[in-house]
């Protein structure tokens, strides 16, 4: 668990540096090796690891726009994920998806950048497991800002009515971009959403990885044993802005300070020391994680960019005739309409 | 009211400043005008669409809302039917799916279905466009989708001058107006705009009527019809072509509904050659609409046509592929060359 958390943290810090490469001076979102938006989750690792530790490859996870820590905890191929973020041909999605849209069928991982829209597909995965009489489960991750969205609320009802093996993990980092929870969401405790749907709701009030691990284990086991869905909300502390380049002028200094002070990784390390794990061992874990991150980034950057024509692949699995991998020729385009060409 | 011309003013403004000026003016003039959306208060709009409005008008009139597009866009419909003049912002047009019923079945149809007993004087503002590698859920323009659905007026400014005049008109209009602003034109710090959209803008209010296209460049050889960001790409292409001895006329549609077919037709009657450029998907879209309008009205006027649009693929993430599908100035120039002179 500690190793995955450290990997996720180092990964995010490395991506932050890589992202800024080529964007200075000033900040041009479309410049550099990793363009587009980048939402980092440094500080939220406990929520990912604490729950995903209980999952198998055949369990499904749907992640939102801030997916890397969850992807790492679920065991998504780190090299190919990194190549995807760099827009490379050998990336998880051949450069089609990018950082908010990572798909790894080997471990049943998918993403969506549309708020709360990972919830309904998680229901579907849970439904498939139930219909096939397997004991796999589905976990949908979302932010506390997403619990006001219809897609989430409709999913709760359906999960409850159909008694589906699904866990909704709400990562409460107090902010939805610039909007603090207390201005846009009632009640304060998102796990209470479950009450109205006659299902189980649990809130873990700190980003203590061990507490989340316990609550996550219980929720996953319930789902796996056929005892129904859970909303599990966990308090996390995001260290960075909403996205890279976010001026964060709306975020009070205390809030940033609180995120810096309450670091779930440091907290877990302290616990481990107390259990008698010595510093050298922790150091070794950190070194291993650092090496893994470096390997992934180095590998990814050596990968080729896709050919421009590849944009036409993968629109369909089974392309209808007339839709090919090449730029379509439209009859008449460029041709003379009234006179000769 | 006389409309001051661009040439008569000394000061210039970015497109976002021009839009905000119009909104602020209308809010001062009419208590019934208010603005709501995600991150529109403290943040000032992710794309600077509401900068400074919170300071002047306070939270009652510049409202951050939950991430609940169905609820707040529908609330705008209800407030508009109650006689207020809400402006509701959908952060990216790509998110329309989560609230399409409120947009398409309520906002757009209630006037008609009520036999005219209700009007819906609201403005739906939304950011459109790619060119910075944000992938398929954050890069669409969807001009065609909104213009296709009956009951809403659809506005797409390309310069600060137009943005302000069209915004005044949009707020004063008694019908629902979809005001689509291209991110790349706004003049946001982190997303450099081309030079074109920053224009002289009068301090006083003025309206630009809907349904009046603007000839942004006069020319005799070929008519290039486009809108939004691609007005500037077409103008760049026209400069290149001028060096090659081809004189292109560039028409900026400015509004898609109502659509100024007359100006296009008049130009094609002069040049005989038509190129339509769109950042939206090619099939069933603007390019087909313009070409068929001209063909229906005067087939003989058409000597050659070409369309340049996004082939029917979701917008890919990786740069070489995104560059390939979103038309650039060179693609426009190529199309103009291919229709001959
Ligand atoms: C339907 C929809 N509306 C709005 C957005 C824009 N958006 C992206 S992230 C975000 C805030 C999400 O907050 P939260 O769910 O708390 O997650 P966090 O970013 O804090 O991890 C918003 C409004 C979106 N992606 N999809």
């Amino acid at each position: 668990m500690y190793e995955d958390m450290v990997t996720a943290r180092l990964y995010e810090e490395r991506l932050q540096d890589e992202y800024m490469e080529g964007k200075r001076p000033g900040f041009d979102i479309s410049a550099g090796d990793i363009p587009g938006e980048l939402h980092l989750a440094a500080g939220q690792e406990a929520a990912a690891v604490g729950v995903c530790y209980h999952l198998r490859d055949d369990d499904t996870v749907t992640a939102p726009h801030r997916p890397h820590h969850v992807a790492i905890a679920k065991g998504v191929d780190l090299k190919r994920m990194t190549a995807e973020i760099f827009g490379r041909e050998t990336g998880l999605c051949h450069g089609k998806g990018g950082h908010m849209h990572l798909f790894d069928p080997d471990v049943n991982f998918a993403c969506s950048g549309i708020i709360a829209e990972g919830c309904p597909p998680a229901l579907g995965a849970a439904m498939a497991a139930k219909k096939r009489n397997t004991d796999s489960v589905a976990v949908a991750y979302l932010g506390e800002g997403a619990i006001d969205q219809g897609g989430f609320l409709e999913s709760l009802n359906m999960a409850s009515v159909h008694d589906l093996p699904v866990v909704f993990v709400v990562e409460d980092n107090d902010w939805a971009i610039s909007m603090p929870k207390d201005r846009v969401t009632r009640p304060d405790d998102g796990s209470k959403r479950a009450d109205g749907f006659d299902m189980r709701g649990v809130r873990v009030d700190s980003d203590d990885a061990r507490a989340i691990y316990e609550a996550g284990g219980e929720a996953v086991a319930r789902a796996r044993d056929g005892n129904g869905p859970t909303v599990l909300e966990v308090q996390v502390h995001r260290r960075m802005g909403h996205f890279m380049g976010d001026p964060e002028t709306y975020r009070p200094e205390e809030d940033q300070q609180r995120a810096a002070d309450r670091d779930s990784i440091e907290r877990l390390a302290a616990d481990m020391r107390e259990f008698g794990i010595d510093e050298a061992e922790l150091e070794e874990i950190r070194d291993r994680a650092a090496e893994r991150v470096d390997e992934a980034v180095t590998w990814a950057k050596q990968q080729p960019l896709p050919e421009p024509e590849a944009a036409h692949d993968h629109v369909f699995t089974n392309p209808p005739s007339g839709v090919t991998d090449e730029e379509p020729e439209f009859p008449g385009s460029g041709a003379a309409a009234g006179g000769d060409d | 009211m006389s409309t001051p011309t661009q040439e008569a003013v000394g000061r210039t403004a970015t497109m976002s400043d021009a839009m905000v000026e119009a909104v602020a003016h209308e809010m001062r003039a009419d208590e019934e005008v208010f603005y709501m959306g995600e991150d529109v208060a403290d943040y000032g709009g992710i794309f600077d669409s509401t900068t400074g409005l919170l300071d002047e008008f306070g939270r009652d009139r510049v409202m951050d809302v939950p991430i609940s597009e169905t609820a707040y866009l529908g609330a705008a419909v209800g407030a508009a039917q109650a006689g207020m003049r809400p402006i509701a912002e959908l952060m990216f047009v790509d998110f329309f799916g989560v609230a399409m019923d409120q947009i398409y079945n309520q906002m757009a149809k209630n006037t008609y279905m009520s036999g005219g007993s209700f009007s819906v004087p609201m403005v739906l503002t939304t950011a459109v466009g790619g060119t910075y590698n944000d992938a398929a859920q954050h890069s669409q323009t969807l001009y065609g989708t909104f213009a296709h659905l009956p009951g809403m007026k659809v506005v797409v400014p390309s310069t600060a001058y137009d943005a302000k005049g069209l915004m005044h008109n949009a707020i004063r209009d008694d019908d629902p107006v979809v005001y689509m602003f291209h991110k790349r034109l706004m003049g946001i710090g982190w997303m450099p705009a081309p030079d074109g959209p920053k224009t002289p803008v009068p301090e006083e209010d003025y309206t630009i009527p809907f349904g009046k296209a603007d000839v942004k460049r006069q020319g005799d050889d070929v008519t290039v019809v486009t809108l939004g960001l691609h007005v500037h790409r077409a103008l760049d292409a026209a400069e290149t072509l001028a060096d090659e001895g081809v004189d292109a006329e560039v028409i900026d549609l400015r509004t898609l509904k109502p659509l100024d077919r007359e100006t296009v037709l008049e130009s094609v009657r002069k040049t005989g050659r038509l190129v339509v450029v769109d950042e939206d998907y090619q099939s069933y879209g603007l390019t087909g609409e313009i070409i068929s309008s001209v063909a229906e009205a005067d087939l003989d006027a058409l000597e050659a046509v070409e369309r340049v649009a996004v082939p029917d693929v979701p917008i890919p993430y990786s740069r070489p592929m995104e560059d390939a599908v979103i038309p650039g100035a060179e693609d426009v120039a190529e199309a103009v060359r291919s229709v001959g002179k």
Side-chain angles (χ1 to χ4, degrees):
Chain A
M1 234 167 68
Y2 181 70
E3 182 158 347
D4 272 355
M5 284 172 75
V6 172
T7 306
R9 173 67 57 84
L10 294 175
Y11 188 70
E12 299 264 274
E13 287 173 354
R14 178 67 181 268
L15 276 192
Q16 181 176 23
D17 292 344
E18 296 287 342
Y19 185 74
M20 292 312 287
E21 226 18 73
K23 288 193 173 60
R24 299 187 184 92
F27 176 76
D28 175 355
I29 194 169
S30 53
D33 232 6
I34 309 176
E37 289 173 82
L38 186 67
H39 308 83
L40 298 179
Q44 303 191 179
E45 295 87 353
V49 170
V51 178
C52 291
Y53 198 83
H54 304 283
L55 300 181
R56 309 183 306 233
D57 285 357
D58 62 316
D59 295 326
T60 294
V61 166
T62 61
H65 58 288
R66 196 181 302 286
H68 309 144
H69 58 317
V70 181
I72 288 170
K74 183 65 170 77
V76 169
D77 185 319
L78 192 65
K79 285 184 170 170
R80 294 194 60 211
M81 163 170 149
T82 312
E84 184 59 32
I85 294 169
F86 279 89
R88 305 303 162 116
E89 158 59 28
T90 48
L92 281 177
C93 320
H94 302 285
K96 298 277 173 35
H99 114 98
M100 279 189 276
H101 321 98
L102 303 164
F103 293 82
D104 188 350
D106 292 345
V107 296
N108 290 299
F109 184 89
C111 280
S112 172
I114 309 294
I115 293 305
E117 293 304 298
C119 296
L123 289 186
M127 202 178 271
K130 193 170 173 182
K131 284 185 190 299
R132 290 171 176 158
N133 278 320
T134 73
D135 68 344
S136 38
V137 305
V139 177
Y141 273 86
L142 60 157
E144 93 293 334
I147 65 171
D148 300 318
Q149 187 67 291
F152 171 65
L153 295 163
E154 292 182 25
S155 295
L156 291 194
N157 182 55
M158 196 153 161
S160 187
V161 160
H162 288 265
D163 213 15
L164 295 173
V166 54
V167 181
F168 300 93
V169 179
V170 179
E171 293 183 86
D172 177 7
N173 62 18
D174 297 307
W175 293 93
I177 313 189
S178 69
M179 303 187 301
K181 186 173 59 176
D182 62 2
R183 206 165 65 233
V184 285
T185 300
R186 293 281 185 281
D188 224 22
D189 175 351
S191 69
K192 292 217 173 91
R193 287 277 190 278
D195 298 350
F197 297 97
D198 217 2
M199 64 187 271
R200 192 173 159 77
V202 180
R203 178 171 159 91
V204 177
D205 235 329
S206 74
D207 50 4
D208 174 357
R210 290 192 303 152
I212 296 172
Y213 170 81
E214 270 162 37
E218 206 211 321
V220 170
R222 281 178 74 84
R224 212 179 290 295
D225 297 343
N227 295 324
T230 304
V231 175
L232 171 60
E233 180 170 271
V234 301
Q235 179 71 53
V236 293
H237 295 94
R238 172 162 51 77
R239 297 163 72 85
M240 307 182 180
H242 174 78
F243 40 35
M244 291 295 300
D246 181 353
E248 285 193 84
T249 42
Y250 54 82
R251 191 174 177 185
E253 182 60 36
E254 311 89 79
D255 193 79
Q256 278 152 327
Q257 194 53 47
R258 189 169 57 124
D261 293 345
R262 299 210 193 158
D263 191 301
S264 57
I265 293 184
E266 278 169 27
R267 177 172 183 156
L268 185 60
D271 288 353
M272 288 165 78
R273 281 185 207 104
E274 223 163 89
F275 277 117
I277 296 173
D278 65 29
E279 201 53 49
E281 229 170 305
L282 293 178
E283 194 61 48
E284 206 176 294
I285 293 174
R286 286 195 288 267
D287 288 348
R288 250 199 330 264
E291 200 171 313
R292 206 177 145 215
V293 167
D294 187 57
E295 237 175 67
V297 173
T298 307
W299 184 81
K301 288 167 75 170
Q302 288 161 357
Q303 299 304 300
L305 285 164
E307 293 300 323
E309 306 77 56
H312 298 275
D313 304 342
H314 307 125
V315 179
F316 296 104
T317 297
N318 175 23
S321 67
V323 177
T324 67
D325 289 357
E326 278 139 48
E327 177 110 26
E329 264 302 320
F330 287 92
S333 80
D340 48 14
D341 205 354
Chain B
M1 187 184 63
S2 71
T3 304
T5 59
Q6 274 188 66
E7 293 68 31
V9 262
R11 72 171 193 142
T12 59
T14 62
M15 204 166 100
S16 74
D17 288 343
M19 277 169 58
V20 172
E21 246 178 53
V23 171
H25 180 103
E26 296 297 327
M27 286 180 75
R28 264 172 235 133
D30 183 353
E31 280 286 324
E32 305 275 13
V33 180
F34 68 100
Y35 206 112
M36 63 178 156
E38 292 155 19
D39 303 286
V40 300
D42 302 74
Y43 201 109
I46 296 296
F47 301 107
D48 291 358
S49 52
T50 53
T51 308
L53 292 180
L54 176 66
D55 287 346
E56 182 174 351
F57 300 102
R59 287 196 194 283
D60 279 351
R61 296 185 68 199
V62 182
M63 296 165 58
D64 273 341
V65 295
I67 309 173
S68 308
E69 284 83 358
T70 293
Y72 78 81
L73 294 177
V77 175
Q81 286 176 191
M84 294 194 78
R85 293 193 169 258
I87 306 167
E89 179 167 308
L90 175 64
M91 190 187 286
F92 289 63
V93 75
D94 313 70
F95 309 158
F96 81 105
V98 300
M100 200 51 180
D101 187 71
Q102 292 303 324
I103 299 170
Y104 173 34
N105 276 325
Q106 317 296 332
M107 178 181 112
K109 291 179 180 162
N110 284 0
T111 302
Y112 186 78
M113 291 194 304
S114 68
S117 36
F118 277 101
S119 61
V120 188
M122 65 177 279
V123 183
L124 170 62
T125 55
T126 188
V128 302
T131 76
Y132 63 106
N133 309 93
D134 222 13
Q137 294 178 340
H138 287 75
S139 304
Q140 301 169 99
T141 54
L142 301 181
Y143 298 142
T145 303
F146 285 79
H148 178 65
L149 304 170
M152 331 180 249
K153 297 171 182 172
V154 181
V155 176
V156 182
S158 72
T159 66
Y161 181 83
D162 290 354
K164 180 167 170 173
L166 289 166
M167 181 62 89
H168 277 295
N169 216 44
I171 299 170
R172 293 173 195 179
D173 198 288
D174 288 334
D175 286 314
V177 177
V178 182
Y179 187 104
M180 307 174 95
F181 55 87
H182 199 292
K183 300 157 205 165
R184 183 54 88 186
L185 300 178
M186 293 291 272
I188 311 160
W190 44 275
M191 197 185 290
D195 290 337
K198 192 169 179 182
T199 60
V201 176
E203 312 237 7
E204 56 271 57
D205 62 313
Y206 59 95
T207 57
I208 293 178
F210 295 160
K212 279 225 61 68
D214 189 34
V215 180
K216 291 275 194 284
R217 184 185 193 279
Q218 306 272 352
D220 289 327
D221 299 333
V222 184
T223 300
V224 181
V225 176
T226 188
L227 73 171
L229 172 67
H230 283 77
V231 168
H232 303 283
R233 296 198 164 173
L235 289 170
D236 284 351
E239 288 312 305
T240 309
L241 291 160
D243 296 340
E244 298 168 18
V246 178
D247 190 16
E249 179 144 304
V250 177
I251 295 180
D252 177 358
L253 291 170
R254 297 201 293 201
T255 66
L256 283 177
K257 185 131 321 148
L259 178 63
D260 184 358
R261 294 181 167 88
E262 269 314 302
T263 298
V264 175
L265 188 60
E266 211 176 285
S267 174
V268 175
R269 282 190 174 126
K270 174 173 70 172
T271 64
R273 291 175 162 78
L274 173 61
V275 171
V276 190
V277 184
D278 187 11
E279 195 182 326
D280 197 1
Y281 306 119
Q282 173 152 318
S283 294
Y284 311 101
L286 169 75
T287 54
E289 181 62 29
I290 296 291
I291 293 167
S292 66
S293 294
V294 174
E296 267 176 343
D298 190 350
L299 191 57
D300 292 340
L302 269 180
E303 285 167 45
V305 295
E306 180 82 52
R307 47 180 170 166
V308 188
V310 174
D312 298 331
V313 305
I315 312 288
Y317 168 72
S318 184
R319 192 174 286 138
M321 294 191 289
E322 198 206 44
D323 283 348
V325 302
I326 296 184
E330 191 41 49
D331 299 313
V332 179
E334 198 44 52
V336 171
R337 287 182 201 112
S338 82
V339 294
K341 186 187 158 178

